[in-house]
Amino acid sequence: MLKLARRQLFAFGIPAAFAFLAPLILVLASLAALWSMAVPDTGGDAAGGGFPFAVLDDIYVRRAISFTLMQAALSAILSTLLALPLARALASRDFFGKTAILSLFGAPFILPVIVAILGLLAVWGKTGPVHGLVTGLGYGDFSIYGLSGILLAHVFFNLPLACRILLQGWLAIPPEQWRLATQLGMGSGAIARHIEWPMLKERLPGVFAIVFLLCATSFTVVLALGGGPKATTIELAIYQAIRYDFDLQRAALLAFLQILLCAGLALVSRLIARDHDTGDSLGGAVPRGDRSSRLARSFDGAVITLALIFLALPLLAAFIRGMQGLLAYDLEISALLPATARSIAVALGSCAVMGLISLPLAQLSIHLKGKTKRLVELPGFAIMVAPPIALGAGLFILLNQHIPIDRLALPLTALLNGLQAVPFALILIGPAMGQIKRDHGRQIQQLGMSRSTAIRLVHWPLMRKPIGLSLGITAALSIGDLGVIALFGSPTAPTLPLYLYQQMGAYRMDQAYGSGLLLTAVAFAFFLLFDKGLAGRDQT
Amino acid sequence: MKALTLALLATTGMAIVASLASTPSAFAADKPTLTVYAYDSFNTEWGPGPAIKEGFEKTCDCVVEYVAPGDATETFNRLRLEGSSSKADVLLGLDSNLVADADKSGLFEPNSIAVDGLKLPVVWNSSTYVPFDWGYFAFVYDSDKVKTVPTSFEELVNAPDDLKIVIEDPRSSTPGLGLLLWVKNLYGERADEIWQKLSPRIVTVTKGWSEAYGMFLEGQADMVLSYTTSPAYHIEAENKTNYKAALFSEGHYMQVELAAVTKSSQNKALANQFLSYLIGPEAQKIIPTTNWMYPVALPDADWPASFKDLARPGKALLFDTGKVSNIRKVALDEWLGALSK
Amino acid sequence: MIRLDHLFIALDDWQMTISLEVAAGSFCALIGPSGAGKSTILNAIAGFLPHGGGQLFIDGRDMAPLAPADRPVSMLFQEHNLFNHMTVEQNVGLGVDPSLKLGKTEWLRVEEALAQVGLDGMGKRLPRALSGGQRQRASLARAILRKRPVLLLDEPFAALGPALRKGMLQLVRDLAAQNGQTIIMVTHHPDDARLAADQVALVQDGTIAQVGKADAFFANPSDALKAYLG
């Protein structure tokens, strides 16, 4: 089937080969560099202990591993458990403003992590309103630093995600089942057993796995809220080994370990997670008769209100303090503007990387059949298992001898952010491209459209929406990124999030809130520019 | 949508122009630029950075540019990461405890600045690292809030759990390293046990001094690891006398802050000139009331009043610079082990 | 004339060998159970499937080396004949120039074709604003403009009601007669075949089980046809 003419080779074959091989080569090269740094002289001396087990003798490393897993498990359990009543309440009720609430649930995905943390600090920090309430009620001395703060932030980010997936599950239950339940006079218990539990049994493992994986590799949250060695994840330990100890060998060992761990986690989650419809039709309510009592209604109302307060309050606080910061303090425009420009440049670079990898990969996957099709998932998988800090550490070690780090930081950030976005983009672009081939492939052939004509007349109009959304997500994630840039970014040429982090480090909190508001505005503006601007007017 | 697009294009353009325009080297090409890597609190509007830059630029016909990646150790690590391609001419803020590592890095150049006349509580005769201020580490507290103040390290270790402290990470910050060595100096083999006892009182471990001190001032902790000289700031700048350093009977670990010229510097003469300026009368007069540390070359009579009244620890503690490197490694592992429990 | 001579078609998990002749200007209907391979035959003629052996001639020309666009064939599918994001006239205009670079006279031809299928004045609409029957008329208009000697119909009217379907068949027949086109149509409805076809073939299990003139075909059913018609 893949007999390619010369022209097709250049138009299709070479980009596809590049998109397929580049991520794999990058990950392998990075692994090789980490290996060579972690095991400096392999010549004969085996006394170093079997790698990677030597590093496990270090009690601190062992604790970092167990803390990574423990906080991820707790975050996943909490997010999933809290999402259950919330998703049920949202599924049972239809009310004014529900769509607004559901779009608010999408906000944490675009919101720069560091800004959300500023918001959480303002609400839950020792001087914030919640702290007084909690200690006033006698619940001990709650601290936002350490495990409790990390869990708080992870739930803040993942509760909406978990809730959306579960809500889809509720809405996917056929209405006939609800009518049947009403007809048979089933109570809440019976409905839970016979209708809700079978759906949840399908979805809960997947929700848990996604949240667990996200939290096991979350960096910024732990960087900002992790309180010292007690609350250190592997990812943070890599950062600290480079920035604090200047121990590249330990960093390499940890990075290797992190990749192994992620590969294991990704494999496990592939086994338990199933593909669910990603359709975003979250409106409407299920026609159930059992939850119409006043008690049930007020319970659902309370759940939704509490969740809303929990999610909206930090955003509001970050906004208000950000406005105050922007208005009241002398902003260093000369530093803010170049930082913003750097962030934008990095974001555009990420978008280019994302596009150059995702589009040919999506195309490749629809052209292949059977078992070879699964092969195309390999680059995406490689990206998933190599978290940016670990991958960045490897690439840095590889390139550092040849190029000064100052010149590496921004391109590396753009590259890694772009790669991070590829799995998301493939989910959005792949199905759209496949559908075009299924629906219109023969038509295009029969009409004899040239490749460029087909792109102009068919592919682009039909794919600008998923492409726009992918670019929007990539740009927003990249603009808000505080991962690789924290590791290598130059203090003289920071991106906007790094600049903000420097301000936090110097405890110039008011300015940090101001920068945070600017950062959020830029991230959302670019998200909208790509998502709405490229998607254009809805024509389908 | 069109308006948004236009607005974004405009800001992007403006931002790019601004970033080009703010690259100083492109426009100040006629004057040489001296790049000084310093810890973050040094170069703040209330720190010594701006005044020293202004004073030195008057004498040197050059431009001083500060780069502040974080606290002192982080700054040093940044330089190590950049290696010989670094733009740094001077590293400011090395600590006496890091001298052995600095030597090992081979990044610094000996100089001919006379340091034997400096007023230090220890003997100093390095030809590479020039001391510019010094101080004693101490826990600072707000006497309006903390009523039972520990008078010895032992008391701190055995204080009730609700006495919360914030400390700095010894891997990134020199005060953090100071505390690490303080504990090791006092307790030796027992350091591990002491850290385990301290652990529940530690609100958080910050990356650097600025963050820790900021958190303390905002009320996130009762005591913060800082210097005996810190209260002087509140007296001089804010006229507040409620901030005090807790004096411990066992003695206090010391810090000598150092500056050095890098081997890769293209402006070595200028860099040497800067170091001389740093220990000259003008800079030494600036340092106490901006960096809030003891000056190394300022006649007692010229000391600010607040400094004269400061309580001095009965005993100064300091490891030998040659030995400290090994002690630091062991102590750090103990610290990581004890605090990660 | 269309001639399939032991044309071998291999798909993922099954294969078929087909021999069939359709006279120029005539209307041939393919009937048979679903999954028998009716549509596959059309896809092979249109060039969407690789030739695995045997021969396919249209008007004496070997089709094997020709790409779908170069074959003297227009094919109407059951659905997705139109691009939903383009207006009706743009969709039809693709029949004149697939890159849609049309001059004034070409747009006039598009209008004419639309008039011929009874869609005058609807050119500016999007396909979703049309009924199912109107959408297939628009596809027909495009086929008219493409002026290919052979028209392949892959159940394009299956979703329409009986009356509408009859009307469409009539329209197709009339247009084909006007333009001298040969038609092969796949259908589920033996009645359609009776109504419109000159020649009927029963496709079953990857081969042609029975073929003949329409009246003779139904007058003398084979066992297979009897089983199929029930």
Side-chain angles (χ1 to χ4, degrees):
Chain A
M1 237 350 230
L2 272 181
K3 270 180 277 167
L4 294 175
R6 206 188 163 79
R7 257 178 56 212
Q8 278 178 307
L9 182 70
F10 285 100
F12 170 67
I14 289 178
F18 169 78
F20 184 77
L21 293 176
L24 291 176
I25 290 174
L26 272 179
V27 171
L28 290 177
S30 169
L31 276 176
L34 290 171
W35 177 274
S36 69
M37 179 57 85
V39 192
D41 27 44
T42 37
D45 182 27
F51 177 82
F53 305 105
V55 74
L56 291 174
D57 292 339
D58 192 330
I59 188 160
Y60 167 67
V61 171
R62 281 214 303 270
R63 295 232 169 89
I65 296 171
S66 62
F67 183 80
T68 305
L69 298 175
M70 189 255 292
Q71 60 83 15
L74 285 177
S75 303
I77 291 170
L78 280 175
S79 304
T80 316
L81 284 185
L82 292 173
L84 275 174
L86 181 59
R88 190 180 61 168
L90 284 169
S92 313
R93 313 284 161 209
D94 209 1
F95 51 89
F96 177 75
K98 186 171 163 182
T99 14
I101 291 182
L102 289 172
S103 25
L104 176 75
F105 279 23
F109 202 60
I110 305 299
L111 186 73
V113 178
I114 191 72
V115 178
I117 289 167
L118 283 176
L120 288 168
L121 276 171
V123 174
W124 294 81
K126 195 151 188 173
T127 49
V130 176
H131 186 270
L133 203 70
V134 170
T135 42
L137 289 171
Y139 283 104
D141 200 15
F142 172 84
S143 167
I144 192 167
Y145 295 98
L147 180 62
S148 43
I150 292 172
L151 292 182
L152 187 70
H154 281 165
V155 171
F156 176 82
F157 280 106
N158 293 301
L159 174 62
L161 174 73
C163 178
R164 279 177 79 110
I165 302 176
L166 292 180
L167 181 56
Q168 266 165 19
W170 253 285
L171 294 177
I173 295 173
E176 292 81 4
Q177 286 200 19
W178 296 111
R179 294 195 194 110
L180 194 65
T182 317
Q183 218 165 54
L184 295 174
M186 282 188 184
S188 290
I191 287 183
R193 256 197 320 281
H194 300 304
I195 297 181
E196 293 174 308
W197 176 241
M199 177 278 288
L200 291 173
K201 213 168 57 182
E202 287 266 301
R203 290 194 180 233
L204 284 180
V207 174
F208 183 86
I210 292 175
V211 178
F212 188 95
L213 198 65
L214 287 175
C215 294
T217 55
S218 119
F219 175 75
T220 309
V221 167
V222 188
L223 176 71
L225 297 176
K230 219 184 285 183
T232 295
T233 56
I234 305 175
E235 200 113 329
L236 188 65
I238 297 170
Y239 166 84
Q240 290 174 338
I242 294 177
R243 290 290 300 251
Y244 293 10
D245 296 341
F246 195 67
D247 189 342
L248 292 183
Q249 188 184 351
R250 180 184 267 193
L253 282 164
L254 286 164
F256 216 91
L257 213 62
Q258 171 78 332
I259 291 177
L260 285 183
L261 179 77
C262 284
L265 289 177
L267 283 174
V268 171
S269 72
R270 280 201 72 134
L271 289 179
I272 54 175
R274 275 167 224 175
D275 287 337
H276 293 298
D277 42 348
T278 44
D280 46 4
S281 53
L282 291 174
V286 297
R288 63 191 297 174
D290 63 312
R291 299 194 58 77
S292 52
S293 74
R294 178 173 279 185
L295 184 71
R297 275 211 308 268
S298 30
F299 177 77
D300 284 351
V303 166
I304 294 172
T305 311
L306 279 177
L308 201 58
I309 291 174
F310 173 69
L311 292 173
L313 216 54
L315 301 180
L316 202 65
F319 179 77
I320 291 171
R321 287 203 60 174
M323 284 306 276
Q324 288 169 346
L326 283 181
L327 293 175
Y329 289 85
D330 175 29
L331 291 175
E332 293 156 5
I333 297 292
S334 60
L336 267 178
L337 275 186
T340 310
R342 273 177 221 112
S343 281
I344 291 172
V346 166
L348 295 179
S350 303
C351 285
V353 171
M354 186 279 292
L356 283 176
I357 305 286
S358 315
L359 287 172
L361 269 188
Q363 204 179 21
L364 187 63
S365 82
I366 62 164
H367 275 89
L368 293 178
K369 286 180 179 169
K371 277 184 186 150
T372 42
K373 196 168 181 142
R374 305 223 62 180
L375 209 67
V376 187
E377 294 173 17
L378 208 59
F381 187 74
I383 293 166
M384 291 252 301
V385 304
I389 300 286
L391 192 59
L395 293 179
F396 170 73
I397 289 167
L398 195 69
L399 296 170
N400 186 32
Q401 297 124 10
H402 312 292
I403 311 169
I405 176 180
D406 275 29
R407 270 176 248 165
L408 271 178
L410 294 185
L412 261 188
T413 309
L415 174 70
L416 293 174
N417 288 166
L419 283 181
Q420 286 316 108
V422 166
F424 293 113
L426 282 178
I427 292 174
L428 294 168
I429 294 174
M433 215 184 239
Q435 196 176 358
I436 291 178
K437 187 174 151 73
R438 269 196 314 280
D439 290 354
H440 301 304
R442 289 184 299 179
Q443 199 68 259
I444 291 167
Q445 276 189 61
Q446 175 158 83
L447 290 168
M449 285 186 184
S450 69
R451 201 184 145 80
S452 56
T453 303
I455 288 174
R456 177 171 61 90
L457 290 180
V458 183
H459 287 98
W460 173 242
L462 290 178
M463 291 191 42
R464 51 198 284 177
K465 238 179 155 155
I467 290 178
L469 183 57
S470 305
L471 287 173
I473 290 174
T474 309
L477 289 182
S478 182
I479 285 171
D481 174 77
L482 185 60
V484 185
I485 196 70
L487 204 51
F488 304 121
S490 161
T492 43
T495 59
L496 197 48
L498 185 60
Y499 183 66
L500 194 168
Y501 186 59
Q502 286 175 348
Q503 289 175 323
M504 282 175 78
Y507 219 76
R508 304 204 312 252
M509 294 307 276
D510 295 297
Q511 279 107 320
Y513 277 101
S515 309
L517 186 60
L518 177 67
L519 177 61
T520 311
V522 176
F524 271 89
F526 270 82
F527 175 74
L528 287 179
L529 173 72
F530 283 123
D531 183 38
K532 296 281 180 285
L534 268 192
R537 246 180 248 113
D538 196 1
Q539 290 189 319
T540 47
Chain B
M1 199 60 228
K2 231 176 209 164
L4 176 66
T5 313
L6 280 178
L8 281 175
L9 282 177
T11 37
T12 309
M14 263 164 56
I16 288 168
V17 169
S19 66
L20 288 175
S22 67
T23 311
S25 49
F27 290 93
D30 39 338
K31 278 187 187 178
T33 301
L34 184 76
T35 306
V36 178
Y37 277 30
Y39 49 86
D40 48 14
S41 61
F42 188 87
N43 184 35
T44 52
E45 47 189 300
W46 59 86
I52 285 178
K53 173 184 157 81
E54 203 189 322
F56 183 64
E57 279 177 352
K58 270 184 207 146
T59 68
C60 72
D61 194 35
C62 70
V63 176
V64 175
E65 204 184 303
Y66 290 113
V67 174
D71 209 334
T73 315
E74 241 192 317
T75 311
F76 172 40
N77 283 342
R78 176 77 198 181
L79 191 60
R80 289 206 273 186
L81 207 57
E82 291 172 354
S84 56
S85 66
S86 175
K87 285 182 287 192
D89 297 305
V90 171
L91 175 67
L92 188 153
L94 266 173
D95 164 300
S96 44
N97 301 311
L98 288 170
V99 162
D101 292 278
D103 276 336
K104 215 168 76 189
S105 76
L107 288 168
F108 303 102
E109 177 110 337
N111 57 60
S112 52
I113 294 160
V115 293
D116 42 354
L118 297 178
K119 255 181 57 182
L120 281 166
V122 288
V123 183
W124 195 262
N125 45 23
S126 159
S127 61
T128 307
Y129 312 99
V130 175
F132 60 90
D133 65 20
W134 62 280
Y136 301 101
F137 295 114
F139 283 94
V140 171
Y141 63 96
D142 179 351
S143 59
D144 291 346
K145 288 183 186 157
V146 183
K147 294 301 169 199
T148 11
V149 183
T151 59
S152 65
F153 217 108
E154 200 63 33
E155 274 184 38
L156 173 71
V157 171
N158 295 312
D161 269 1
D162 61 359
L163 184 80
K164 296 291 180 196
I165 60 173
V166 54
I167 64 169
E168 297 85 350
D169 196 313
R171 295 168 297 170
S172 52
S173 143
T174 48
L177 179 59
L179 179 62
L180 186 81
L181 296 171
W182 192 359
V183 170
K184 195 71 190 162
N185 192 296
L186 288 181
Y187 294 98
E189 297 287 303
R190 281 182 61 219
D192 181 49
E193 172 203 334
I194 296 300
W195 278 115
Q196 287 190 40
K197 279 187 167 175
L198 274 177
S199 180
R201 279 182 249 336
I202 299 171
V203 176
T204 190
V205 180
T206 66
K207 201 157 68 92
W209 175 87
S210 310
E211 206 179 342
Y213 210 79
M215 287 179 65
F216 161 70
L217 290 182
E218 225 182 50
Q220 311 252 11
D222 301 310
M223 299 179 102
V224 59
L225 177 69
S226 188
Y227 298 89
T228 57
T229 39
S230 304
Y233 161 75
H234 300 284
I235 298 168
E236 292 273 342
E238 302 176 331
N239 222 354
K240 282 184 188 164
T241 51
N242 53 323
Y243 291 103
K244 291 188 172 130
L247 284 195
F248 291 168
S249 54
E250 298 96 331
H252 285 239
Y253 202 80
M254 269 187 58
Q255 173 175 50
V256 180
E257 288 200 290
L258 310 165
V261 179
T262 63
K263 260 198 187 121
S264 57
S265 168
Q266 304 292 315
N267 304 302
K268 280 179 186 143
L270 206 55
N272 274 300
Q273 206 185 322
F274 181 77
L275 293 197
S276 301
Y277 176 81
L278 205 56
I279 54 171
E282 215 175 289
Q284 285 295 308
K285 201 160 166 51
I286 294 169
I287 280 174
T289 52
T290 49
N291 217 26
W292 309 99
M293 295 283 277
Y294 290 114
V296 292
L298 191 67
D300 286 5
D302 294 344
W303 281 26
S306 57
F307 267 69
K308 288 180 195 153
D309 302 336
L310 283 176
R312 290 261 195 144
K315 195 177 163 197
L317 312 169
L318 190 67
F319 279 119
D320 186 81
T321 51
K323 284 185 206 154
V324 82
S325 184
N326 288 328
I327 296 172
R328 175 171 166 251
K329 265 207 183 74
V330 176
L332 200 56
D333 281 344
E334 281 171 0
W335 182 83
L336 284 172
L339 285 201
S340 60
K341 266 187 191 147
Chain C
M1 188 177 76
I2 306 170
R3 187 161 64 84
L4 287 70
D5 187 1
H6 293 91
L7 187 68
F8 180 82
I9 308 160
L11 286 172
D12 287 339
D13 46 357
W14 68 289
Q15 53 199 45
M16 57 197 301
T17 310
I18 300 291
S19 293
L20 180 70
E21 283 192 18
V22 180
S26 72
F27 191 129
C28 172
L30 302 181
I31 61 171
S34 42
K38 303 184 296 286
S39 299
T40 311
I41 297 175
L42 295 196
N43 281 328
I45 298 174
F48 298 124
L49 297 171
H51 292 198
Q55 285 174 315
L56 167 60
F57 284 93
I58 295 181
D59 293 336
R61 261 173 86 201
D62 182 9
M63 290 293 113
L66 298 184
D70 301 329
R71 299 190 178 198
V73 169
S74 277
M75 182 162 168
L76 257 59
F77 309 106
Q78 196 170 346
E79 52 181 355
H80 303 304
N81 286 300
L82 301 182
F83 297 106
N84 286 329
H85 60 280
M86 294 184 195
T87 61
V88 169
E89 61 180 13
Q90 282 176 321
N91 266 294
V92 175
L94 288 172
V96 182
D97 175 9
S99 64
L100 212 53
K101 287 174 182 140
L102 273 63
K104 243 186 192 149
T105 46
E106 277 102 352
W107 282 119
L108 279 175
R109 283 175 55 205
V110 169
E111 240 169 83
E112 264 167 47
L114 280 172
Q116 266 181 291
V117 296
L119 289 180
D120 17 359
M122 299 199 184
K124 302 284 182 213
R125 297 194 189 177
L126 285 175
R128 64 163 171 230
L130 302 185
S131 72
Q134 286 172 325
R135 278 202 289 272
Q136 298 301 51
R137 282 168 191 265
S139 326
L140 256 167
R142 179 163 71 206
I144 294 170
L145 288 175
R146 292 193 74 219
K147 290 189 173 158
R148 304 285 159 122
V150 175
L151 184 59
L152 304 175
L153 305 175
D154 190 1
E155 299 195 64
F157 313 129
L160 308 179
L164 207 50
R165 216 168 63 227
K166 252 182 217 164
M168 289 300 287
L169 279 176
Q170 201 52 55
L171 179 64
V172 170
R173 259 198 87 95
D174 293 349
L175 289 171
Q178 262 175 41
N179 302 313
Q181 282 174 307
T182 312
I183 295 179
I184 303 180
M185 174 179 82
V186 164
T187 179
H188 263 106
H189 302 277
D191 286 350
D192 288 359
R194 282 199 186 95
L195 179 81
D198 306 312
Q199 181 189 12
V200 185
L202 173 68
V203 185
Q204 204 158 34
D205 300 331
T207 60
I208 301 228
Q210 187 191 341
V211 63
K213 291 269 178 206
D215 4 338
F217 180 87
F218 288 110
N220 310 305
S222 64
D223 292 344
L225 182 59
K226 274 184 201 155
Y228 173 63
L229 291 174

